[in-house]
Amino acid sequence: MAKYYQPEIETASREEIIAIQNEKIRKQVKHVYENVAYYRDLMDKQGVKPEDIQTIDDIKKLPFLTKSDLRDAYPYGLLGTDLKNCVRIQSTSGTTGKRVVAFYTQQDIELWEECCARAIVAVGGNEDDVCQVCYGYGLFTGGPGLNGGSHKVGCLTLPMSSGNTDRQIQFMMDLGATILCCTPSYAAYIGESLKEKGYKPEDNKLKAGIFGAEPWTEEMRHNIEESLGIKAYDIYGLTETSGPGVSFECEEQTGMHINEDHFYAEIIDPETGEVLPEGEVGELVFTSLDKEAFPLLRYRTRDLCVLSRKPCSCGRTHVKMSKPMGRSDDMLIIRGVNVFPSQIETVLLNEGFTPNYQIIVDRVNNTDTIDINIELAPEKYSDRIKDIQAMEKGLEAAMRTMLGIGPKVHLVAPKTIVRSEGKAVRVIDNRKLH
Ligand code: ADP
Ligand code: ZN
């Protein structure tokens, strides 16, 4: 059975990858300088010309692009080709503000779908598989990306889109889906719904899941793997660089291989913009090496993670990124302490609670407050106030140890926190309203 979708490139030597990157970056910088006035101005301001970029290391000389540049340049300001060469747009989910629109030529779509095909083959996918795609279809990149990848691999593709969980389960069972693609929060919900309907993990034919588009913890991975009886793999991407498939996990499940022949990754200090050495946590910056329609150079993702070049047992040679611990703008600053929702998720799954939670931040009398509503699993639910209070106290203590500040925990009845069919909304920050 094929282990790689494109073996030559996925297992290419370091020298071969660098040679490809050197050649592509020269061409790409010229393409952008000639076609994207917005970026040409940034380069001119920085005093850098296309000839200054001869190798991939020279990339450090180029200016960064940020989400606010994308918003300023909306909709056509960063277009790298004539509109008549474009065949599609996709758009961000708007998780952190105004949506950004990205453009694709037919060639851009081919390359993007190949990246998704690599991810599917990496989880053991082949033409015998039935691939159920329940990421949203439409403007969101999740559905179209995995759909295209699944076609390229030759899986029977179920283009379910998100939502209508009863129908998801019916098709999963009737058609014997073997690979499930959706957000991790929706996978957890499907797992919970299967259990409620009386199915055991071994009743479905699923073997693997490809879950991404939002941060999720290792504890969440275990929860999903148990409830669905599968191996759960991470996939990462963002609309600005194409969509899912920028990087994906292999059988080792210790980070995601970045498709380095298409995307050059750097980690920078978010404060100073300085490039950090391998192994340090910082903000991930991507350069599209060969996108035609929306060729972003040094785009700051705001996602925080670590890169590793440690050899991988799967045989792939591309650099790996750790699970993003969240976006720099997901980070909550509560009474001066940095708190990530993922830390809270880790504690509550470790303590045996459900992954259904919501964090509410507010400011009362000039002091930040943090409340966490956590849903009880039916088997933990109790009528005795004393039992509930004891559980709340225990969780508060565990949270205080992890976070360094003490949140107020509220255990709520089963089925009272809204389930997510796409990206989960974990934080409600009411301070922004004041
Ligand atoms: P939006 O920024 O509006 O959510 P996108 O739908 O393009 O737009 O989402 C891209 C973002 O989703 C990434 O920048 C990252 O923050 C998050 N993301 C995608 N995949 C993952 C993943 N596997 N783990 C954590 N975060 C992810
Ligand atoms: Zn690997």
Side-chain angles (χ1 to χ4, degrees):
M1 210 55 76
K3 209 177 155 198
Y4 313 107
Y5 182 66
Q6 289 163 313
E8 297 80 24
I9 188 67
E10 290 180 68
T11 62
S13 70
R14 189 83 206 104
E15 293 69 36
E16 285 168 324
I17 293 172
I18 292 173
I20 293 170
Q21 291 179 331
N22 285 344
E23 195 193 321
K24 286 191 178 178
I25 191 68
R26 278 196 291 273
K27 241 176 93 189
Q28 186 71 320
V29 172
K30 193 162 170 284
H31 167 67
V32 171
Y33 195 81
E34 284 168 4
N35 294 290
V36 185
Y38 189 98
Y39 199 77
R40 178 163 63 237
D41 287 348
L42 291 181
M43 282 177 65
D44 286 346
K45 265 196 216 124
Q46 194 135 316
V48 45
K49 291 270 169 277
E51 310 78 84
D52 298 329
I53 313 300
Q54 289 301 322
T55 68
I56 196 71
D57 276 340
D58 294 329
I59 208 167
K60 293 189 192 73
K61 301 175 188 163
L62 292 171
F64 292 116
L65 274 175
T66 63
K67 198 127 180 169
S68 82
D69 287 311
L70 268 60
R71 288 177 180 143
D72 289 350
Y74 175 91
Y76 297 126
L78 289 160
L79 197 59
T81 181
D82 249 18
L83 259 190
K84 70 167 189 292
N85 300 324
C86 297
V87 296
R88 170 109 62 90
I89 68 149
Q90 304 282 168
S91 165
T92 58
S93 321
T95 313
T96 59
K98 188 176 153 192
R99 285 166 181 268
V100 164
V101 171
F103 299 83
Y104 302 74
T105 62
Q106 187 57 45
Q107 170 72 1
D108 292 335
I109 295 212
E110 293 296 326
L111 298 183
W112 172 28
E113 291 181 353
E114 276 175 17
C115 289
C116 291
R118 290 180 193 176
I120 293 171
V121 173
V123 309
N126 60 53
E127 58 206 12
D128 293 327
D129 279 296
V130 178
C131 183
Q132 177 163 358
V133 182
C134 26
Y135 285 110
Y137 279 63
L139 286 172
F140 179 50
T141 52
L146 269 309
N147 188 85
S150 173
H151 277 221
K152 284 212 183 291
V153 175
C155 304
L156 174 65
T157 310
L158 312 186
M160 303 296 297
S161 198
S162 60
N164 201 337
T165 307
D166 284 347
R167 190 178 60 195
Q168 301 280 3
I169 289 175
Q170 186 200 331
F171 276 62
M172 174 187 288
M173 291 303 179
D174 292 351
L175 297 169
T178 54
I179 299 178
L180 181 68
C181 306
C182 59
T183 57
S185 52
Y186 195 39
Y189 180 27
I190 293 177
E192 180 188 5
S193 306
L194 279 168
K195 190 172 166 199
E196 274 171 18
K197 288 182 189 296
Y199 290 113
K200 293 197 203 56
E202 56 276 21
D203 293 339
N204 69 64
K205 289 224 171 73
L206 291 174
K207 59 181 186 189
I210 304 181
F211 306 128
E214 64 183 2
W216 53 310
T217 55
E218 284 301 324
E219 290 74 19
M220 183 78 153
R221 189 206 301 270
H222 297 144
N223 176 293
I224 295 170
E225 290 190 331
E226 271 179 24
S227 71
L228 292 172
I230 59 171
K231 271 188 94 171
Y233 298 87
D234 205 351
I235 186 166
Y236 169 90
L238 60 166
T239 314
E240 293 90 324
T241 56
S242 57
V246 168
S247 64
F248 61 86
E249 248 178 5
C250 61
E251 69 229 26
E252 219 190 68
Q253 293 180 302
T254 54
M256 297 177 270
H257 290 285
I258 296 173
N259 285 308
E260 283 190 280
D261 50 330
H262 301 305
F263 307 103
Y264 182 73
E266 300 168 272
I267 293 284
I268 62 161
D269 177 330
E271 301 294 324
T272 64
E274 185 203 343
V275 178
L276 298 176
E278 182 193 326
E280 286 194 25
V281 183
E283 181 179 348
L284 188 55
V285 174
F286 276 116
T287 294
S288 295
L289 293 170
D290 45 19
K291 274 186 64 183
E292 298 172 331
F294 205 60
L296 302 190
L297 304 179
R298 298 199 91 196
Y299 179 64
R300 293 183 58 160
T301 63
R302 300 190 286 183
D303 293 322
L304 300 174
C305 71
V306 181
L307 296 182
S308 162
R309 291 208 169 274
K310 227 172 104 215
C312 189
S313 60
C314 78
R316 287 178 186 77
T317 47
H318 294 202
V319 68
K320 286 204 284 198
M321 59 181 269
S322 63
K323 261 181 181 308
M325 55 181 66
R327 310 183 197 212
S328 48
D329 38 355
D330 274 347
M331 188 178 79
L332 296 163
I333 304 181
I334 314 237
R335 286 174 246 141
V337 177
N338 298 347
V339 172
F340 280 98
S342 56
Q343 295 174 298
I344 291 170
E345 184 174 296
T346 296
V347 173
L348 56 97
L349 290 177
N350 271 338
E351 301 285 320
F353 289 85
T354 71
N356 302 313
Y357 64 99
Q358 203 148 41
I359 303 162
I360 298 137
V361 182
D362 211 332
R363 183 164 292 142
V364 179
N365 298 332
N366 290 322
T367 305
D368 296 329
T369 58
I370 172 164
D371 289 71
I372 310 171
N373 293 334
I374 301 160
E375 206 181 279
L376 278 169
E379 59 273 18
K380 280 206 174 191
Y381 192 61
S382 164
D383 283 343
R384 292 187 47 208
I385 298 222
K386 275 225 160 92
D387 292 347
I388 302 271
Q389 283 174 339
M391 283 191 273
E392 286 175 343
K393 289 278 160 290
L395 266 176
E396 282 173 358
M399 294 280 180
R400 205 172 308 116
T401 309
M402 170 68 111
L403 308 175
I405 53 154
K408 187 103 196 60
V409 166
H410 312 271
L411 292 171
V412 300
K415 295 274 158 199
T416 48
I417 290 181
V418 173
R419 300 293 186 270
S420 146
E421 295 172 347
K423 297 195 191 218
V425 179
R426 302 293 194 193
V427 181
I428 300 171
D429 195 340
N430 291 323
R431 292 178 301 187
K432 292 179 184 147
L433 301 175
H434 299 322

